[in-house]
Amino acid sequence: MKLNLSALVKLRSLFSATQRFNLSLFSAFAIETVILNPRSYATAALPVVETYGEKVKTVGIQKKPLDPADVLRSWGCSENDVSTIFLRRPSLRKMDVNNLQSKLHTLSGLGISSSDLAKIIYCRPRFLNCRLNKNLDERIEYLQALFGSREVLLKAILRNPSLLTYDLHNSIKPVIARFENVGLSRKDLIPMLISRPTLIPRCALNDEKMDYIRRTGVSKVSRMYKYVVTLFSISRLETIHEKMANLEKFGFSEDEILKLFGRSPLLLTLSVDKVQRNMTFILGTMKLSASSVLRNPCLLYFNLETLLRPRYLLAEKIDDMGLVPQVRGPSMVRALRMTEKRFIKAFMSCHPEAVAKELMSFYTSAKGIKRLAESSKRSVQKGFPF
């Protein structure tokens, strides 16, 4: 009985080993068959092969995923526009496509075209990286009510795209309220917002600036009031002090300077260097009085190299030659304010041909005189110009 039981155990072990060997051999055979000739494999493995084949087929016909350049082209941007955009902001090449499409859809709703976008990116490279969609509907509704129409709003956005990114409650509304509190109506404020893009982020009206505005003598009903208020608000106090000190060196009092700013507020936008050079030439070479500048602020706006000096030298030449009409006294300021065509006709073309040719040659050479060391002048960037 023991022998029979022992034999039975050995037989069972042998049968199990043989079965495992056959299964392993069959599995190896099946795998080899699939690799070498997948189409001839048995129907039992057919679903696996078909599933794999379907996946391969699907991957093979899948379209190339869109990139930001494709999205911009499909939106209407030309190749030049796309190149300009990526040149100014290379990181846009890696921007999320869905995010870009969403922002372009928003811009389309505002009426911004593809060419407009290229100009915006050229001036504001980070524009598309800003969160345009955050509280956009509320911001657009307020801005449209402020500007009065969708067309004027679009003009303002193209002039200052950052209007779509400013915080409505902490930036836009407080600035508008501040200007209204100092007597600036919305009708006057709208052109200022369009012409001065930095009006919202740089607005600062403290007590000292308000005192300067009051001392200019410009009333709230004057057409110049909006220019005086906005230019003082965006100018740094240290810059205002520097420009006033520069004019004081030529004999002006502080009250005279502020009155001058009231008559011509754009003087606040002129650099200290330009005003100093023009004043030196007007007082030192032309021998005009400082009061003539108070009466004619335009003298400070003229370009010294291309207008002020050449026309003065021509007036001296006409005087030396004894020709008429001559450019003296009050007629000097009038001659300086003339257009180029009218100036030539009034003081050169009126003479005989030979004389006119001589005067024109002298005037042309005078205009060609360059500022000393102009080519080696270093450009110092101080940030916001005024």
PDB file of all heavy atoms in Angstrom, residues 60-96:
ATOM      1  N   GLY A  60      -1.082  57.172 -35.814  1.00  0.00           N
ATOM      2  CA  GLY A  60      -0.552  57.498 -37.122  1.00  0.00           C
ATOM      3  C   GLY A  60      -1.320  58.600 -37.822  1.00  0.00           C
ATOM      4  O   GLY A  60      -0.748  59.407 -38.538  1.00  0.00           O
ATOM      5  N   ILE A  61      -2.629  58.681 -37.627  1.00  0.00           N
ATOM      6  CA  ILE A  61      -3.431  59.666 -38.340  1.00  0.00           C
ATOM      7  C   ILE A  61      -3.739  60.891 -37.480  1.00  0.00           C
ATOM      8  O   ILE A  61      -4.441  61.787 -37.911  1.00  0.00           O
ATOM      9  CB  ILE A  61      -4.760  59.040 -38.814  1.00  0.00           C
ATOM     10  CG1 ILE A  61      -5.611  58.617 -37.612  1.00  0.00           C
ATOM     11  CG2 ILE A  61      -4.508  57.879 -39.739  1.00  0.00           C
ATOM     12  CD1 ILE A  61      -6.987  58.109 -37.999  1.00  0.00           C
ATOM     13  N   GLN A  62      -3.225  60.920 -36.231  1.00  0.00           N
ATOM     14  CA  GLN A  62      -3.512  62.047 -35.346  1.00  0.00           C
ATOM     15  C   GLN A  62      -2.856  63.314 -35.882  1.00  0.00           C
ATOM     16  O   GLN A  62      -1.720  63.307 -36.334  1.00  0.00           O
ATOM     17  CB  GLN A  62      -2.986  61.769 -33.942  1.00  0.00           C
ATOM     18  CG  GLN A  62      -3.400  62.829 -32.931  1.00  0.00           C
ATOM     19  CD  GLN A  62      -2.920  62.485 -31.545  1.00  0.00           C
ATOM     20  OE1 GLN A  62      -2.203  61.512 -31.382  1.00  0.00           O
ATOM     21  NE2 GLN A  62      -3.313  63.269 -30.575  1.00  0.00           N
ATOM     22  N   LYS A  63      -3.581  64.446 -35.856  1.00  0.00           N
ATOM     23  CA  LYS A  63      -3.081  65.705 -36.361  1.00  0.00           C
ATOM     24  C   LYS A  63      -2.035  66.276 -35.416  1.00  0.00           C
ATOM     25  O   LYS A  63      -2.052  66.017 -34.219  1.00  0.00           O
ATOM     26  CB  LYS A  63      -4.221  66.709 -36.526  1.00  0.00           C
ATOM     27  CG  LYS A  63      -5.232  66.340 -37.574  1.00  0.00           C
ATOM     28  CD  LYS A  63      -6.287  67.414 -37.688  1.00  0.00           C
ATOM     29  CE  LYS A  63      -7.317  67.053 -38.757  1.00  0.00           C
ATOM     30  NZ  LYS A  63      -8.370  68.093 -38.871  1.00  0.00           N
ATOM     31  N   LYS A  64      -1.156  67.114 -36.002  1.00  0.00           N
ATOM     32  CA  LYS A  64      -0.137  67.779 -35.205  1.00  0.00           C
ATOM     33  C   LYS A  64      -0.800  68.768 -34.252  1.00  0.00           C
ATOM     34  O   LYS A  64      -1.641  69.562 -34.668  1.00  0.00           O
ATOM     35  CB  LYS A  64       0.825  68.528 -36.124  1.00  0.00           C
ATOM     36  CG  LYS A  64       1.894  69.314 -35.397  1.00  0.00           C
ATOM     37  CD  LYS A  64       2.699  70.149 -36.370  1.00  0.00           C
ATOM     38  CE  LYS A  64       3.699  71.018 -35.631  1.00  0.00           C
ATOM     39  NZ  LYS A  64       4.457  71.884 -36.566  1.00  0.00           N
ATOM     40  N   PRO A  65      -0.460  68.740 -32.953  1.00  0.00           N
ATOM     41  CA  PRO A  65      -1.092  69.671 -32.002  1.00  0.00           C
ATOM     42  C   PRO A  65      -0.783  71.125 -32.355  1.00  0.00           C
ATOM     43  O   PRO A  65       0.297  71.446 -32.838  1.00  0.00           O
ATOM     44  CB  PRO A  65      -0.462  69.277 -30.660  1.00  0.00           C
ATOM     45  CG  PRO A  65       0.817  68.587 -31.018  1.00  0.00           C
ATOM     46  CD  PRO A  65       0.551  67.886 -32.313  1.00  0.00           C
ATOM     47  N   LEU A  66      -1.741  72.008 -32.123  1.00  0.00           N
ATOM     48  CA  LEU A  66      -1.573  73.424 -32.419  1.00  0.00           C
ATOM     49  C   LEU A  66      -0.535  74.045 -31.503  1.00  0.00           C
ATOM     50  O   LEU A  66      -0.434  73.691 -30.332  1.00  0.00           O
ATOM     51  CB  LEU A  66      -2.902  74.160 -32.261  1.00  0.00           C
ATOM     52  CG  LEU A  66      -3.994  73.879 -33.297  1.00  0.00           C
ATOM     53  CD1 LEU A  66      -5.263  74.613 -32.914  1.00  0.00           C
ATOM     54  CD2 LEU A  66      -3.549  74.302 -34.681  1.00  0.00           C
ATOM     55  N   ASP A  67       0.228  74.973 -32.048  1.00  0.00           N
ATOM     56  CA  ASP A  67       1.141  75.755 -31.234  1.00  0.00           C
ATOM     57  C   ASP A  67       0.693  77.211 -31.303  1.00  0.00           C
ATOM     58  O   ASP A  67      -0.173  77.579 -32.099  1.00  0.00           O
ATOM     59  CB  ASP A  67       2.593  75.588 -31.699  1.00  0.00           C
ATOM     60  CG  ASP A  67       2.793  76.009 -33.149  1.00  0.00           C
ATOM     61  OD1 ASP A  67       1.862  76.608 -33.721  1.00  0.00           O
ATOM     62  OD2 ASP A  67       3.870  75.767 -33.699  1.00  0.00           O
ATOM     63  N   PRO A  68       1.244  78.095 -30.454  1.00  0.00           N
ATOM     64  CA  PRO A  68       0.809  79.492 -30.445  1.00  0.00           C
ATOM     65  C   PRO A  68       0.901  80.176 -31.805  1.00  0.00           C
ATOM     66  O   PRO A  68       0.058  81.022 -32.127  1.00  0.00           O
ATOM     67  CB  PRO A  68       1.752  80.128 -29.428  1.00  0.00           C
ATOM     68  CG  PRO A  68       2.081  79.027 -28.481  1.00  0.00           C
ATOM     69  CD  PRO A  68       2.158  77.806 -29.340  1.00  0.00           C
ATOM     70  N   ALA A  69       1.903  79.815 -32.603  1.00  0.00           N
ATOM     71  CA  ALA A  69       2.017  80.438 -33.930  1.00  0.00           C
ATOM     72  C   ALA A  69       0.826  80.074 -34.805  1.00  0.00           C
ATOM     73  O   ALA A  69       0.276  80.929 -35.521  1.00  0.00           O
ATOM     74  CB  ALA A  69       3.323  80.002 -34.588  1.00  0.00           C
ATOM     75  N   ASP A  70       0.400  78.815 -34.754  1.00  0.00           N
ATOM     76  CA  ASP A  70      -0.767  78.400 -35.532  1.00  0.00           C
ATOM     77  C   ASP A  70      -2.028  79.123 -35.064  1.00  0.00           C
ATOM     78  O   ASP A  70      -2.879  79.512 -35.876  1.00  0.00           O
ATOM     79  CB  ASP A  70      -0.962  76.884 -35.424  1.00  0.00           C
ATOM     80  CG  ASP A  70       0.190  76.102 -36.026  1.00  0.00           C
ATOM     81  OD1 ASP A  70       0.791  76.606 -36.989  1.00  0.00           O
ATOM     82  OD2 ASP A  70       0.500  75.014 -35.518  1.00  0.00           O
ATOM     83  N   VAL A  71      -2.164  79.285 -33.765  1.00  0.00           N
ATOM     84  CA  VAL A  71      -3.335  79.979 -33.219  1.00  0.00           C
ATOM     85  C   VAL A  71      -3.366  81.426 -33.695  1.00  0.00           C
ATOM     86  O   VAL A  71      -4.416  81.946 -34.097  1.00  0.00           O
ATOM     87  CB  VAL A  71      -3.326  79.925 -31.674  1.00  0.00           C
ATOM     88  CG1 VAL A  71      -4.445  80.780 -31.101  1.00  0.00           C
ATOM     89  CG2 VAL A  71      -3.461  78.490 -31.197  1.00  0.00           C
ATOM     90  N   LEU A  72      -2.214  82.097 -33.683  1.00  0.00           N
ATOM     91  CA  LEU A  72      -2.159  83.487 -34.130  1.00  0.00           C
ATOM     92  C   LEU A  72      -2.462  83.598 -35.621  1.00  0.00           C
ATOM     93  O   LEU A  72      -3.155  84.527 -36.057  1.00  0.00           O
ATOM     94  CB  LEU A  72      -0.783  84.078 -33.824  1.00  0.00           C
ATOM     95  CG  LEU A  72      -0.461  84.308 -32.343  1.00  0.00           C
ATOM     96  CD1 LEU A  72       1.002  84.685 -32.158  1.00  0.00           C
ATOM     97  CD2 LEU A  72      -1.348  85.400 -31.759  1.00  0.00           C
ATOM     98  N   ARG A  73      -1.954  82.662 -36.412  1.00  0.00           N
ATOM     99  CA  ARG A  73      -2.234  82.698 -37.852  1.00  0.00           C
ATOM    100  C   ARG A  73      -3.710  82.479 -38.126  1.00  0.00           C
ATOM    101  O   ARG A  73      -4.302  83.166 -38.978  1.00  0.00           O
ATOM    102  CB  ARG A  73      -1.397  81.644 -38.568  1.00  0.00           C
ATOM    103  CG  ARG A  73       0.106  81.918 -38.560  1.00  0.00           C
ATOM    104  CD  ARG A  73       0.845  80.950 -39.463  1.00  0.00           C
ATOM    105  NE  ARG A  73       2.290  81.046 -39.271  1.00  0.00           N
ATOM    106  CZ  ARG A  73       2.992  80.202 -38.528  1.00  0.00           C
ATOM    107  NH1 ARG A  73       2.374  79.192 -37.893  1.00  0.00           N
ATOM    108  NH2 ARG A  73       4.294  80.352 -38.395  1.00  0.00           N
ATOM    109  N   SER A  74      -4.304  81.515 -37.443  1.00  0.00           N
ATOM    110  CA  SER A  74      -5.723  81.247 -37.646  1.00  0.00           C
ATOM    111  C   SER A  74      -6.582  82.408 -37.175  1.00  0.00           C
ATOM    112  O   SER A  74      -7.708  82.598 -37.652  1.00  0.00           O
ATOM    113  CB  SER A  74      -6.136  79.970 -36.911  1.00  0.00           C
ATOM    114  OG  SER A  74      -5.954  80.111 -35.505  1.00  0.00           O
ATOM    115  N   TRP A  75      -6.056  83.235 -36.258  1.00  0.00           N
ATOM    116  CA  TRP A  75      -6.797  84.399 -35.771  1.00  0.00           C
ATOM    117  C   TRP A  75      -6.742  85.557 -36.755  1.00  0.00           C
ATOM    118  O   TRP A  75      -7.523  86.489 -36.664  1.00  0.00           O
ATOM    119  CB  TRP A  75      -6.235  84.827 -34.414  1.00  0.00           C
ATOM    120  CG  TRP A  75      -7.071  85.831 -33.689  1.00  0.00           C
ATOM    121  CD1 TRP A  75      -8.350  85.685 -33.234  1.00  0.00           C
ATOM    122  CD2 TRP A  75      -6.686  87.162 -33.320  1.00  0.00           C
ATOM    123  NE1 TRP A  75      -8.779  86.828 -32.610  1.00  0.00           N
ATOM    124  CE2 TRP A  75      -7.785  87.756 -32.641  1.00  0.00           C
ATOM    125  CE3 TRP A  75      -5.520  87.913 -33.492  1.00  0.00           C
ATOM    126  CZ2 TRP A  75      -7.749  89.052 -32.147  1.00  0.00           C
ATOM    127  CZ3 TRP A  75      -5.486  89.199 -32.991  1.00  0.00           C
ATOM    128  CH2 TRP A  75      -6.585  89.758 -32.332  1.00  0.00           C
ATOM    129  N   GLY A  76      -5.793  85.474 -37.709  1.00  0.00           N
ATOM    130  CA  GLY A  76      -5.689  86.510 -38.736  1.00  0.00           C
ATOM    131  C   GLY A  76      -4.353  87.208 -38.812  1.00  0.00           C
ATOM    132  O   GLY A  76      -4.173  88.098 -39.648  1.00  0.00           O
ATOM    133  N   CYS A  77      -3.408  86.823 -37.974  1.00  0.00           N
ATOM    134  CA  CYS A  77      -2.094  87.474 -37.991  1.00  0.00           C
ATOM    135  C   CYS A  77      -1.296  87.027 -39.206  1.00  0.00           C
ATOM    136  O   CYS A  77      -1.274  85.840 -39.544  1.00  0.00           O
ATOM    137  CB  CYS A  77      -1.316  87.147 -36.719  1.00  0.00           C
ATOM    138  SG  CYS A  77      -2.022  87.861 -35.207  1.00  0.00           S
ATOM    139  N   SER A  78      -0.657  87.966 -39.857  1.00  0.00           N
ATOM    140  CA  SER A  78       0.230  87.637 -40.963  1.00  0.00           C
ATOM    141  C   SER A  78       1.554  87.108 -40.421  1.00  0.00           C
ATOM    142  O   SER A  78       1.815  87.146 -39.218  1.00  0.00           O
ATOM    143  CB  SER A  78       0.472  88.874 -41.835  1.00  0.00           C
ATOM    144  OG  SER A  78       1.149  89.872 -41.089  1.00  0.00           O
ATOM    145  N   GLU A  79       2.405  86.651 -41.333  1.00  0.00           N
ATOM    146  CA  GLU A  79       3.710  86.141 -40.907  1.00  0.00           C
ATOM    147  C   GLU A  79       4.547  87.255 -40.275  1.00  0.00           C
ATOM    148  O   GLU A  79       5.289  87.025 -39.318  1.00  0.00           O
ATOM    149  CB  GLU A  79       4.455  85.537 -42.102  1.00  0.00           C
ATOM    150  CG  GLU A  79       3.848  84.239 -42.621  1.00  0.00           C
ATOM    151  CD  GLU A  79       3.861  83.135 -41.567  1.00  0.00           C
ATOM    152  OE1 GLU A  79       4.798  83.114 -40.739  1.00  0.00           O
ATOM    153  OE2 GLU A  79       2.946  82.301 -41.576  1.00  0.00           O
ATOM    154  N   ASN A  80       4.416  88.482 -40.812  1.00  0.00           N
ATOM    155  CA  ASN A  80       5.145  89.607 -40.217  1.00  0.00           C
ATOM    156  C   ASN A  80       4.639  89.915 -38.813  1.00  0.00           C
ATOM    157  O   ASN A  80       5.434  90.220 -37.911  1.00  0.00           O
ATOM    158  CB  ASN A  80       5.002  90.849 -41.106  1.00  0.00           C
ATOM    159  CG  ASN A  80       5.763  90.716 -42.409  1.00  0.00           C
ATOM    160  OD1 ASN A  80       6.745  89.977 -42.485  1.00  0.00           O
ATOM    161  ND2 ASN A  80       5.323  91.420 -43.432  1.00  0.00           N
ATOM    162  N   ASP A  81       3.314  89.822 -38.636  1.00  0.00           N
ATOM    163  CA  ASP A  81       2.747  90.062 -37.307  1.00  0.00           C
ATOM    164  C   ASP A  81       3.232  89.021 -36.305  1.00  0.00           C
ATOM    165  O   ASP A  81       3.613  89.354 -35.174  1.00  0.00           O
ATOM    166  CB  ASP A  81       1.218  90.047 -37.365  1.00  0.00           C
ATOM    167  CG  ASP A  81       0.650  91.214 -38.155  1.00  0.00           C
ATOM    168  OD1 ASP A  81       1.345  92.229 -38.275  1.00  0.00           O
ATOM    169  OD2 ASP A  81      -0.485  91.090 -38.659  1.00  0.00           O
ATOM    170  N   VAL A  82       3.219  87.750 -36.732  1.00  0.00           N
ATOM    171  CA  VAL A  82       3.673  86.668 -35.847  1.00  0.00           C
ATOM    172  C   VAL A  82       5.143  86.850 -35.487  1.00  0.00           C
ATOM    173  O   VAL A  82       5.546  86.685 -34.331  1.00  0.00           O
ATOM    174  CB  VAL A  82       3.433  85.297 -36.506  1.00  0.00           C
ATOM    175  CG1 VAL A  82       4.028  84.181 -35.653  1.00  0.00           C
ATOM    176  CG2 VAL A  82       1.941  85.057 -36.721  1.00  0.00           C
ATOM    177  N   SER A  83       5.958  87.221 -36.477  1.00  0.00           N
ATOM    178  CA  SER A  83       7.381  87.437 -36.217  1.00  0.00           C
ATOM    179  C   SER A  83       7.601  88.592 -35.243  1.00  0.00           C
ATOM    180  O   SER A  83       8.436  88.507 -34.333  1.00  0.00           O
ATOM    181  CB  SER A  83       8.114  87.714 -37.536  1.00  0.00           C
ATOM    182  OG  SER A  83       7.978  86.632 -38.422  1.00  0.00           O
ATOM    183  N   THR A  84       6.829  89.666 -35.436  1.00  0.00           N
ATOM    184  CA  THR A  84       6.951  90.822 -34.540  1.00  0.00           C
ATOM    185  C   THR A  84       6.571  90.457 -33.117  1.00  0.00           C
ATOM    186  O   THR A  84       7.249  90.832 -32.155  1.00  0.00           O
ATOM    187  CB  THR A  84       6.052  91.972 -35.038  1.00  0.00           C
ATOM    188  OG1 THR A  84       6.449  92.345 -36.361  1.00  0.00           O
ATOM    189  CG2 THR A  84       6.156  93.178 -34.116  1.00  0.00           C
ATOM    190  N   ILE A  85       5.487  89.705 -32.975  1.00  0.00           N
ATOM    191  CA  ILE A  85       5.009  89.322 -31.651  1.00  0.00           C
ATOM    192  C   ILE A  85       6.030  88.452 -30.928  1.00  0.00           C
ATOM    193  O   ILE A  85       6.366  88.686 -29.765  1.00  0.00           O
ATOM    194  CB  ILE A  85       3.655  88.597 -31.771  1.00  0.00           C
ATOM    195  CG1 ILE A  85       2.563  89.592 -32.205  1.00  0.00           C
ATOM    196  CG2 ILE A  85       3.270  87.939 -30.450  1.00  0.00           C
ATOM    197  CD1 ILE A  85       1.245  88.934 -32.545  1.00  0.00           C
ATOM    198  N   PHE A  86       6.564  87.443 -31.629  1.00  0.00           N
ATOM    199  CA  PHE A  86       7.533  86.541 -30.992  1.00  0.00           C
ATOM    200  C   PHE A  86       8.887  87.219 -30.780  1.00  0.00           C
ATOM    201  O   PHE A  86       9.626  86.842 -29.865  1.00  0.00           O
ATOM    202  CB  PHE A  86       7.709  85.283 -31.837  1.00  0.00           C
ATOM    203  CG  PHE A  86       6.523  84.351 -31.770  1.00  0.00           C
ATOM    204  CD1 PHE A  86       6.210  83.517 -32.824  1.00  0.00           C
ATOM    205  CD2 PHE A  86       5.712  84.318 -30.652  1.00  0.00           C
ATOM    206  CE1 PHE A  86       5.121  82.650 -32.762  1.00  0.00           C
ATOM    207  CE2 PHE A  86       4.625  83.477 -30.575  1.00  0.00           C
ATOM    208  CZ  PHE A  86       4.333  82.641 -31.634  1.00  0.00           C
ATOM    209  N   LEU A  87       9.201  88.195 -31.626  1.00  0.00           N
ATOM    210  CA  LEU A  87      10.454  88.919 -31.442  1.00  0.00           C
ATOM    211  C   LEU A  87      10.408  89.765 -30.178  1.00  0.00           C
ATOM    212  O   LEU A  87      11.389  89.841 -29.423  1.00  0.00           O
ATOM    213  CB  LEU A  87      10.729  89.805 -32.662  1.00  0.00           C
ATOM    214  CG  LEU A  87      12.028  90.631 -32.639  1.00  0.00           C
ATOM    215  CD1 LEU A  87      13.238  89.699 -32.640  1.00  0.00           C
ATOM    216  CD2 LEU A  87      12.090  91.572 -33.838  1.00  0.00           C
ATOM    217  N   ARG A  88       9.265  90.395 -29.932  1.00  0.00           N
ATOM    218  CA  ARG A  88       9.124  91.231 -28.749  1.00  0.00           C
ATOM    219  C   ARG A  88       8.893  90.422 -27.479  1.00  0.00           C
ATOM    220  O   ARG A  88       9.264  90.843 -26.389  1.00  0.00           O
ATOM    221  CB  ARG A  88       7.962  92.219 -28.950  1.00  0.00           C
ATOM    222  CG  ARG A  88       8.223  93.261 -30.013  1.00  0.00           C
ATOM    223  CD  ARG A  88       9.328  94.197 -29.600  1.00  0.00           C
ATOM    224  NE  ARG A  88       8.930  95.027 -28.455  1.00  0.00           N
ATOM    225  CZ  ARG A  88       9.756  95.666 -27.660  1.00  0.00           C
ATOM    226  NH1 ARG A  88      11.054  95.544 -27.832  1.00  0.00           N
ATOM    227  NH2 ARG A  88       9.308  96.400 -26.662  1.00  0.00           N
ATOM    228  N   ARG A  89       8.263  89.257 -27.626  1.00  0.00           N
ATOM    229  CA  ARG A  89       7.960  88.412 -26.457  1.00  0.00           C
ATOM    230  C   ARG A  89       8.190  86.951 -26.807  1.00  0.00           C
ATOM    231  O   ARG A  89       7.260  86.200 -27.113  1.00  0.00           O
ATOM    232  CB  ARG A  89       6.505  88.639 -26.028  1.00  0.00           C
ATOM    233  CG  ARG A  89       6.154  88.021 -24.683  1.00  0.00           C
ATOM    234  CD  ARG A  89       6.928  88.657 -23.554  1.00  0.00           C
ATOM    235  NE  ARG A  89       6.481  88.186 -22.246  1.00  0.00           N
ATOM    236  CZ  ARG A  89       7.096  88.443 -21.104  1.00  0.00           C
ATOM    237  NH1 ARG A  89       8.196  89.189 -21.101  1.00  0.00           N
ATOM    238  NH2 ARG A  89       6.635  87.987 -19.962  1.00  0.00           N
ATOM    239  N   PRO A  90       9.456  86.478 -26.808  1.00  0.00           N
ATOM    240  CA  PRO A  90       9.758  85.095 -27.194  1.00  0.00           C
ATOM    241  C   PRO A  90       9.053  84.045 -26.345  1.00  0.00           C
ATOM    242  O   PRO A  90       8.774  82.947 -26.832  1.00  0.00           O
ATOM    243  CB  PRO A  90      11.283  85.010 -27.025  1.00  0.00           C
ATOM    244  CG  PRO A  90      11.763  86.419 -27.104  1.00  0.00           C
ATOM    245  CD  PRO A  90      10.673  87.241 -26.506  1.00  0.00           C
ATOM    246  N   SER A  91       8.742  84.351 -25.087  1.00  0.00           N
ATOM    247  CA  SER A  91       8.101  83.360 -24.225  1.00  0.00           C
ATOM    248  C   SER A  91       6.700  82.989 -24.690  1.00  0.00           C
ATOM    249  O   SER A  91       6.159  81.967 -24.255  1.00  0.00           O
ATOM    250  CB  SER A  91       8.039  83.897 -22.781  1.00  0.00           C
ATOM    251  OG  SER A  91       7.242  85.060 -22.708  1.00  0.00           O
ATOM    252  N   LEU A  92       6.101  83.788 -25.580  1.00  0.00           N
ATOM    253  CA  LEU A  92       4.767  83.461 -26.096  1.00  0.00           C
ATOM    254  C   LEU A  92       4.786  82.199 -26.954  1.00  0.00           C
ATOM    255  O   LEU A  92       3.743  81.597 -27.195  1.00  0.00           O
ATOM    256  CB  LEU A  92       4.209  84.631 -26.910  1.00  0.00           C
ATOM    257  CG  LEU A  92       3.832  85.898 -26.115  1.00  0.00           C
ATOM    258  CD1 LEU A  92       3.368  86.996 -27.069  1.00  0.00           C
ATOM    259  CD2 LEU A  92       2.738  85.582 -25.105  1.00  0.00           C
ATOM    260  N   ARG A  93       5.955  81.791 -27.428  1.00  0.00           N
ATOM    261  CA  ARG A  93       6.058  80.546 -28.203  1.00  0.00           C
ATOM    262  C   ARG A  93       5.668  79.329 -27.372  1.00  0.00           C
ATOM    263  O   ARG A  93       5.244  78.310 -27.914  1.00  0.00           O
ATOM    264  CB  ARG A  93       7.486  80.358 -28.728  1.00  0.00           C
ATOM    265  CG  ARG A  93       7.923  81.409 -29.736  1.00  0.00           C
ATOM    266  CD  ARG A  93       9.339  81.149 -30.196  1.00  0.00           C
ATOM    267  NE  ARG A  93       9.813  82.160 -31.124  1.00  0.00           N
ATOM    268  CZ  ARG A  93       9.635  82.120 -32.433  1.00  0.00           C
ATOM    269  NH1 ARG A  93       9.007  81.092 -32.969  1.00  0.00           N
ATOM    270  NH2 ARG A  93      10.094  83.084 -33.200  1.00  0.00           N
ATOM    271  N   LYS A  94       5.815  79.448 -26.047  1.00  0.00           N
ATOM    272  CA  LYS A  94       5.513  78.327 -25.150  1.00  0.00           C
ATOM    273  C   LYS A  94       4.213  78.532 -24.376  1.00  0.00           C
ATOM    274  O   LYS A  94       3.931  77.793 -23.443  1.00  0.00           O
ATOM    275  CB  LYS A  94       6.674  78.134 -24.174  1.00  0.00           C
ATOM    276  CG  LYS A  94       8.014  77.846 -24.851  1.00  0.00           C
ATOM    277  CD  LYS A  94       9.117  77.691 -23.828  1.00  0.00           C
ATOM    278  CE  LYS A  94      10.460  77.415 -24.475  1.00  0.00           C
ATOM    279  NZ  LYS A  94      11.551  77.262 -23.470  1.00  0.00           N
ATOM    280  N   MET A  95       3.435  79.505 -24.768  1.00  0.00           N
ATOM    281  CA  MET A  95       2.205  79.820 -24.036  1.00  0.00           C
ATOM    282  C   MET A  95       1.167  78.727 -24.249  1.00  0.00           C
ATOM    283  O   MET A  95       1.085  78.110 -25.318  1.00  0.00           O
ATOM    284  CB  MET A  95       1.655  81.173 -24.513  1.00  0.00           C
ATOM    285  CG  MET A  95       0.462  81.667 -23.736  1.00  0.00           C
ATOM    286  SD  MET A  95      -0.036  83.326 -24.281  1.00  0.00           S
ATOM    287  CE  MET A  95      -1.412  83.625 -23.160  1.00  0.00           C
ATOM    288  N   ASP A  96       0.372  78.469 -23.226  1.00  0.00           N
ATOM    289  CA  ASP A  96      -0.696  77.481 -23.332  1.00  0.00           C
ATOM    290  C   ASP A  96      -1.684  77.890 -24.422  1.00  0.00           C
ATOM    291  O   ASP A  96      -2.169  79.028 -24.447  1.00  0.00           O
ATOM    292  CB  ASP A  96      -1.417  77.351 -21.987  1.00  0.00           C
ATOM    293  CG  ASP A  96      -2.536  76.325 -22.042  1.00  0.00           C
ATOM    294  OD1 ASP A  96      -2.237  75.121 -22.118  1.00  0.00           O
ATOM    295  OD2 ASP A  96      -3.710  76.740 -22.016  1.00  0.00           O
TER     296      ASP A  96
END
